[in-house]
Amino acid sequence: MKFISRLLPVVLSAAAPLVTAAELNPLFQNHAVLQCDSRVPVWGTGRNGEKITVAFGGQMVSTTVADGTWKVWLVPMKANARPQTLGVRGDNTIEISDILVGEVWIASGQSNMERQLGLRAGQQPIVDWENEVAAANHPQIRQFQVPQIKSFTPQSMAKGAWKVCSPQTAGDFSALGYFFARDLFAARNVPVGIIFSAWGGTPAEAWTSEATLQTLPDFADPLSDLKQLIADPDLALRKSQAKQAAWLEKVDPGSKPGAAWSADTFADGDWKSMTLPNFVESAGYPGFDGVFWLRRAFGLPENWDGGDVELHLGAVDDMDTTWINGEQVGMTSGWDVRRIYQIPGRLLKRGENTIAVRVLDAAGGGGA
């Protein structure tokens, strides 16, 4: 899932915060780009009853704070590459500088949009990325990157910063967003602002409002599960893990009752070896998606003190379940999450011990 869409003048609502002075929404910072040829909302928070005046580009618009928030609208403006200052005056005064007027677009979606122009751990470099970054001297192209923060409710603020495109910053731009902005600037010769909000692997539902999902019968159960997750995260996690375990018992020979591929006594002498870290696709299984197992024996000396230890597995793509000497010690989802499991000393023994890891590779490269 990926898309680039034109920014529309939409303002998210949320419970009114308690504030004592005027503040701008974090989208309005130094180096921002405002949309041309369309009414532009400028909004923020303040003290109830406080008079707010916004000045920009020869316009001066006023309003009064109500329920802790305020918003004004600037009339449509032509594209303008000349840096200007936007001022807000209330009980206090705010000024942000180097503001341009041009095309503003949202770059959103999954990993294809999330992939930055520069290097990214675990992925092949983008062809000719070094030359592209070196040539990225485009001061009229800016990017605002929305941080990846989970929330169960709509948020009215996204903390981030506008970055001016240069060889020093372009490597952190969305690659797709950068090339789009570069070509758009070349075609129209107007400033371009990219609001970069992407998260690899997210489903379409994560970008859809609850009100819309409630109109779709197929989402009744997922929405119910989500409400339970909010109310009791521990219970929801146990139920989710139970469903996952039941599914694995059906599809994976090593997870079936009595199979004991996780046991310390399981005979794995005829298994193939694999050097880690590595993708299973690169180890002789091209195009593989599914479940695979890894086992390794390790020894502890006779003078081992019997204390608790930490097991560091690194990242596992996509989900792992890990056992020490036949007892489960951890389960984690997320291809880029480093696994660190606490191992009680009682599970370990002097001499030979066994680690067993079941890996579920849902799509793309999988490995440990």
Side-chain angles (χ1 to χ4, degrees):
M1 178 183 68
K2 58 181 182 292
F3 59 91
I4 291 185
S5 60
R6 184 67 170 274
L7 178 66
L8 299 178
V10 175
V11 181
L12 298 178
S13 62
L18 295 175
V19 294
T20 57
E23 292 185 5
L24 273 166
N25 186 280
L27 279 171
F28 300 96
Q29 298 185 30
N30 294 341
H31 317 303
V33 181
L34 304 183
Q35 177 63 45
C36 65
D37 303 322
S38 178
R39 294 175 69 217
V40 175
V42 181
W43 69 96
T45 57
R47 174 184 57 80
N48 285 340
E50 181 180 4
K51 181 180 179 182
I52 303 293
T53 300
V54 174
F56 181 76
Q59 301 185 50
M60 189 170 292
V61 189
S62 298
T63 189
T64 301
V65 177
D67 295 327
T69 64
W70 58 268
K71 178 179 66 175
V72 301
W73 293 87
L74 301 175
V75 300
M77 299 170 285
K78 296 297 182 184
N80 190 343
R82 178 176 60 85
Q84 300 180 75
T85 296
L86 186 149
V88 177
R89 187 175 72 250
D91 292 345
N92 56 314
T93 299
I94 304 169
E95 285 191 349
I96 58 174
S97 60
D98 189 27
I99 310 302
L100 308 183
V101 181
E103 294 273 3
V104 182
W105 293 76
I106 297 177
S108 191
Q110 296 181 319
S111 55
N112 286 350
M113 187 68 75
E114 181 187 36
R115 178 64 162 90
Q116 73 268 34
L117 184 56
L119 294 175
R120 186 179 181 90
Q123 297 185 11
Q124 293 294 323
I126 291 176
V127 175
D128 205 31
W129 75 272
E130 292 173 301
N131 288 330
E132 291 291 349
V133 168
N137 187 22
H138 304 296
Q140 293 184 42
I141 296 176
R142 283 92 185 276
Q143 175 181 275
F144 182 95
Q145 183 166 356
V146 178
Q148 294 181 338
I149 299 174
K150 297 177 182 177
S151 174
F152 293 117
T153 57
Q155 299 298 293
S156 61
M157 294 187 181
K159 294 183 179 179
W162 285 93
K163 289 186 178 181
V164 178
C165 183
S166 71
Q168 290 72 43
T169 62
D172 293 327
F173 277 43
S174 159
L176 199 158
Y178 167 76
F179 289 120
F180 173 83
R182 186 197 63 180
D183 291 353
L184 180 61
F185 176 76
R188 292 209 57 200
N189 194 32
V190 300
V192 180
I194 296 293
I195 297 178
F196 177 24
S197 178
W199 198 323
T202 49
E205 299 91 306
W207 302 89
T208 307
S209 70
E210 180 181 359
T212 299
L213 293 176
Q214 286 175 342
T215 67
L216 306 174
D218 289 347
F219 288 95
D221 289 342
L223 286 173
S224 176
D225 292 342
L226 181 60
K227 291 184 184 299
Q228 184 176 80
L229 175 61
I230 297 171
D232 191 339
D234 291 337
L235 176 60
L237 177 61
R238 291 196 299 271
K239 286 188 174 182
S240 175
Q241 290 177 341
K243 288 181 180 179
Q244 184 74 65
W247 178 81
L248 284 165
E249 285 186 6
K250 292 181 180 179
V251 302
D252 173 39
S255 300
K256 293 183 181 301
W261 286 18
S262 59
D264 59 341
T265 57
F266 178 74
D268 56 13
D270 59 345
W271 283 27
K272 294 182 179 180
S273 62
M274 178 177 174
T275 301
L276 300 177
N278 198 3
F279 287 124
V280 67
E281 290 85 349
S282 302
Y285 302 91
F288 177 88
D289 288 318
V291 179
F292 62 95
W293 285 75
L294 302 166
R295 290 175 55 89
R296 180 183 176 116
F298 67 97
L300 288 175
E302 289 300 320
N303 63 352
W304 174 63
D305 64 6
D308 298 346
V309 301
E310 280 188 346
L311 173 63
H312 292 240
L313 291 181
V316 179
D317 190 349
D318 294 293
M319 187 184 86
D320 77 288
T321 309
T322 300
W323 292 262
I324 296 289
N325 293 333
E327 185 164 332
Q328 184 175 323
V329 295
M331 175 188 289
T332 306
S333 296
W335 67 272
D336 58 348
V337 180
R338 306 193 73 81
R339 275 63 169 176
I340 302 177
Y341 295 136
Q342 306 298 317
I343 311 301
R346 63 174 180 78
L347 295 184
L348 300 169
K349 56 190 177 183
R350 296 178 177 88
E352 186 172 284
N353 296 261
T354 303
I355 299 175
V357 182
R358 180 181 62 202
V359 180
L360 171 60
D361 173 26

